Structure formats: structure tokens, C-alpha cells
Amino acid sequence: MRKAVCPGSFDPVTNGHLDVFVRASEIFDQVVVGVLINKTKSSLFTVDERIDMLREVVAPYPNVVVDSFHGLLVDYCRENDIPAIVKGLRAVSDFDYELQMAQMNHRLAKVETLFISTNPLYSFLSSSLIKEIVTYGGDVTGLVPDSVRGLLTERLQGAN
Ligand code: PNS
């Protein structure tokens, strides 16, 4: 079975992420959405909340599963027989850091990284911008799944 991981913080998942998962799921037999457990980075949603949101939005895609990991991504890949990482590239500004990580991951464990060019509909999208917009009452309809939009509003309304 050809497996790939789409790693990230997903705080929260956006429609840009979802687009990458779905496109990767058409190429690989199984796509694991890997939520990084990072105790040093503050997040709006807990890892469990992010996993629940992700599971709900990938439910229509039977070969997309959600898991969490801590430590090095390449160790997770090795332990789970995953030879490839799939990432979305939004713009040239993403490239430097993504290339550095891809080369390091290959150097560490020969894990390959494949980049999917983000759908232009979502190339300006990031989880941080989404949180900022919702905090100040902006409309993010169409940019995040509806279920996520509801949870964001619940969590952030009144925070400004
Ligand atoms: O959504 P993010 O926070 O931009 O995702 C970054 C992520 C999770 C892909 C990256 O930080 C990562 O792979 N972290 C795991 C730790 C690791 O393997 N670091 C070395 C990277 S070369």
C-alpha cells in the first residue's frame, strides 16, 4: 500500500489543507493527516479538538485518516512505513523553508517530499489569518469547512 503523510498544526484545518488532502488521496492508497503535538507552541484548539475537526471533514474520503505525532516527522514515517510527505505550496514565500525541511527529511531518513501547488482559490489562506479575521468579526465562509467556522466563532467571539 502506498502511503503518504500530510503533516501540520491544523489550528484549525482550512479548505486549502482539505484540497491538498483530497488531491493526495487520489494519488496514494492512504493519506495520513498527521497533527503535530507541539507543547511549546500555543494553539487555539487542543490536539484532540483539531483531530475531531479533521476527522469530520475527511469523513467523505475513506482513504484519508487522521493521527497525531510528536518528535521528528521522519521517525513517525519510519514507524508507520510512510515513504512520502505531501505538502501544499501556496507561493514562492513558502518555498525556502519547505525546501529546507524536504532536504533535511531526505537526509535524515530518505523520506521524499512531494509538493502540490495550492489551488489559487486558497493560495492566500493560512490558519493564522483565519483566526485573526474571525476574532474581529470577518466572514470566512468558503475558506474553512462550515463546521470549523462554527467552532471558530464560538471560541473567538468575545475575545476582541
Ligand atoms: O502547520 P505547520 O506548523 O507549518 O507544520 C510544520 C510541520 C509540522 C510540518 C513541521 O514543523 C514538522 O515536520 N515538525 C515535526 C518536527 C520535525 O520533524 N522537525 C524537523 C523538520 S526538518
Side-chain angles (χ1 to χ4, degrees), residues 14-20 23 89-91 94 117-127 129-130 140-145:
T14 67
N15 283 347
H17 295 133
L18 186 58
D19 181 61
V20 171
R23 287 161 65 191
L89 264 191
R90 288 169 297 191
D94 282 342
S117 55
T118 295
N119 184 326
L121 283 175
Y122 306 125
S123 58
F124 53 89
L125 210 56
S126 73
S127 299
L129 264 188
I130 291 291
V140 294
T141 304
L143 302 179
V144 294

Side-chain angles (χ1 to χ4, degrees), residues 7-10 36 41 69 71-74 87 97 101 104-105:
S9 305
F10 308 115
L36 174 68
K41 195 170 158 188
F69 72 100
L72 289 180
L73 177 59
V74 290
K87 295 284 212 62
Y97 187 46
M101 285 197 287
M104 181 59 88
N105 285 329

Side-chain angles (χ1 to χ4, degrees), residues 18-56:
L18 186 58
D19 181 61
V20 171
F21 306 155
V22 173
R23 287 161 65 191
S25 77
E26 286 159 6
I27 301 169
F28 288 90
D29 298 319
Q30 186 182 63
V31 171
V32 181
V33 177
V35 182
L36 174 68
I37 302 170
N38 185 349
K39 295 205 170 86
T40 60
K41 195 170 158 188
S42 69
S43 57
L44 179 64
F45 295 102
T46 66
V47 171
D48 286 343
E49 287 170 331
R50 283 178 268 155
I51 289 176
D52 286 348
M53 282 186 247
L54 281 160
R55 290 212 168 117
E56 186 175 338

Side-chain angles (χ1 to χ4, degrees), residues 45-121:
F45 295 102
T46 66
V47 171
D48 286 343
E49 287 170 331
R50 283 178 268 155
I51 289 176
D52 286 348
M53 282 186 247
L54 281 160
R55 290 212 168 117
E56 186 175 338
V57 301
V58 303
Y61 310 99
N63 66 334
V64 182
V65 298
V66 183
D67 196 9
S68 60
F69 72 100
H70 56 84
L72 289 180
L73 177 59
V74 290
D75 288 338
Y76 178 80
C77 289
R78 218 179 339 226
E79 284 154 18
N80 293 280
D81 285 323
I82 298 176
I85 298 164
V86 174
K87 295 284 212 62
L89 264 191
R90 288 169 297 191
V92 168
S93 49
D94 282 342
F95 188 70
D96 277 355
Y97 187 46
E98 291 296 343
L99 179 66
Q100 190 183 12
M101 285 197 287
Q103 290 172 327
M104 181 59 88
N105 285 329
H106 190 263
R107 168 69 178 71
L108 289 171
K110 296 230 169 350
V111 175
E112 295 290 357
T113 299
L114 289 91
F115 294 113
I116 284 185
S117 55
T118 295
N119 184 326
L121 283 175

